[in-house]
Amino acid sequence: MLTIKEVTEITEIAAPTLRYYEKEGLLPHVKRNENGKRLYDEEDLSWIYFVTALRATGMPIAQIQKYVYLYKEGDSTISERKLMMLYHKKEIERSIRDLYFNLDKINYKLALYDVLESQIERTSIKI
Amino acid sequence: MLTIKEVTEITEIAAPTLRYYEKEGLLPHVKRNENGKRLYDEEDLSWIYFVTALRATGMPIAQIQKYVYLYKEGDSTISERKLMMLYHKKEIERSIRDLYFNLDKINYKLALYDVLESQIERTSIKI
DNA sequence: AATTCACTTGAAGTACACTTTAACAGGAGG
DNA sequence: CCTCCTGTTAAAGTGTACTTCAAGTGAATT
């Protein structure tokens, strides 16, 4: 069992953020010791990594909340949870497509700068 | 020359957002008519689309501000602006890599759900 | 002339996800 | 015993990017 400090060192997530996630119901079953201090096990670490992956891909806190709520409901919600993940997967794929689309525009801009610089170079030689 | 309303219809960007971008210095040379109302030309539209692409790829307002400031300085800042775009291109590529990395985790989760569902199916048949 | 409409401004408000603060508690080391 | 360290809580604060509001202007329609 790990203390919150050990978890911050392993996951590089700030302690207030871990407490915030727990308070918002994003981390089910985090235990406490006899003094009320948090103790994390391997399963808690898995949850932290999973929540981090969802956040990093833009899932809002409220949606993760809903997912964890369904998880706590048990096996009867498996298909709904799977649907949530399928939907989120499509969102991520859309984000990736959008990024590629806009990356094209940046590359176009960079190509223009190449042209501009070579023009300036030629002009300089003439002078 | 287009009014702000026409630009909102063409770009689907809200008028307050266009005013906000202009106030923050993200849109150089937006003209006004004799009554002080905004008039946008093709070049303004290009800027709007460019700013939108930068925002959509996560560039902060402050950095776009700096870019536009350099643009206004003239040709002497071309290499610095090009560097900004090169750096941003790398950021976008990193974002795309991160999204793929986390998409893998979501796909792994989905694979687990497939296993779970087929298990439940087999159990149901047995009952 | 009065209303309506599209615009203007500065300032305040909102949403989201943390982050910081204040006040306190319990155990360890000097 | 005192201080330090690590933890606890609720509440307030922060940063970013808008978004909404209040008050006003000027042109056009009824």
Side-chain angles (χ1 to χ4, degrees), chain B residues 55-73:
Chain B
R55 288 292 307 118
T57 48
M59 185 181 279
I61 299 286
Q63 213 171 326
I64 306 175
Q65 253 166 14
K66 189 187 166 187
Y67 181 89
V68 175
Y69 170 78
L70 289 173
Y71 165 80
K72 285 179 175 170
E73 289 280 289

Side-chain angles (χ1 to χ4, degrees), chain A residues 34-115:
Chain A
E34 63 280 0
N35 302 316
K37 301 197 173 176
R38 289 170 179 79
L39 287 177
Y40 299 82
D41 61 16
E42 277 304 316
E43 208 175 336
D44 294 319
L45 275 186
S46 298
W47 270 104
I48 291 168
Y49 287 128
F50 182 51
V51 167
T52 302
L54 293 178
R55 288 291 306 117
T57 49
M59 185 181 280
I61 299 286
Q63 213 172 324
I64 305 175
Q65 252 167 14
K66 189 186 167 188
Y67 181 89
V68 175
Y69 171 78
L70 290 173
Y71 165 81
K72 286 180 175 171
E73 289 279 290
D75 284 357
S76 63
T77 66
I78 281 179
S79 61
E80 192 172 351
R81 278 183 273 152
K82 186 183 173 184
L83 274 178
M84 280 187 78
M85 283 305 107
L86 273 173
Y87 178 75
H88 187 53
K89 173 190 169 132
K90 289 196 174 154
E91 291 282 292
I92 298 170
E93 286 166 347
R94 198 158 62 82
S95 298
I96 291 173
R97 275 199 308 278
D98 287 353
L99 282 177
Y100 275 126
F101 177 75
N102 287 303
L103 181 57
D104 262 2
K105 297 191 189 177
I106 308 300
N107 279 328
Y108 176 72
K109 204 81 179 177
L110 279 168
L112 288 183
Y113 277 124
D114 285 340
V115 173

Side-chain angles (χ1 to χ4, degrees), chain B residues 89-125:
Chain B
K89 173 190 170 133
K90 289 197 174 153
E91 290 282 293
I92 297 171
E93 285 166 346
R94 199 157 62 81
S95 298
I96 291 172
R97 274 200 308 278
D98 287 353
L99 281 177
Y100 275 126
F101 177 76
N102 286 303
L103 181 56
D104 261 3
K105 298 192 189 178
I106 308 299
N107 279 329
Y108 177 73
K109 204 81 180 179
L110 279 168
L112 288 183
Y113 278 125
D114 284 342
V115 173
L116 268 175
E117 283 185 335
S118 71
Q119 276 177 359
I120 286 163
E121 210 171 297
R122 264 183 281 120
T123 314
S124 303
I125 289 164

Side-chain angles (χ1 to χ4, degrees), chain B residues 23-38:
Chain B
K23 193 177 122 206
E24 295 299 316
L26 272 45
L27 304 175
H29 56 54
V30 174
K31 301 280 187 306
R32 303 297 179 105
N33 73 5
E34 63 279 1
N35 302 316
K37 303 199 172 176
R38 288 170 181 79

Side-chain angles (χ1 to χ4, degrees), chain B residues 74-90:
Chain B
D75 285 357
S76 63
T77 66
I78 281 178
S79 61
E80 194 172 350
R81 277 183 273 153
K82 187 184 172 184
L83 273 179
M84 282 187 77
M85 283 306 108
L86 272 174
Y87 178 75
H88 187 53
K89 173 190 170 133
K90 289 197 174 153

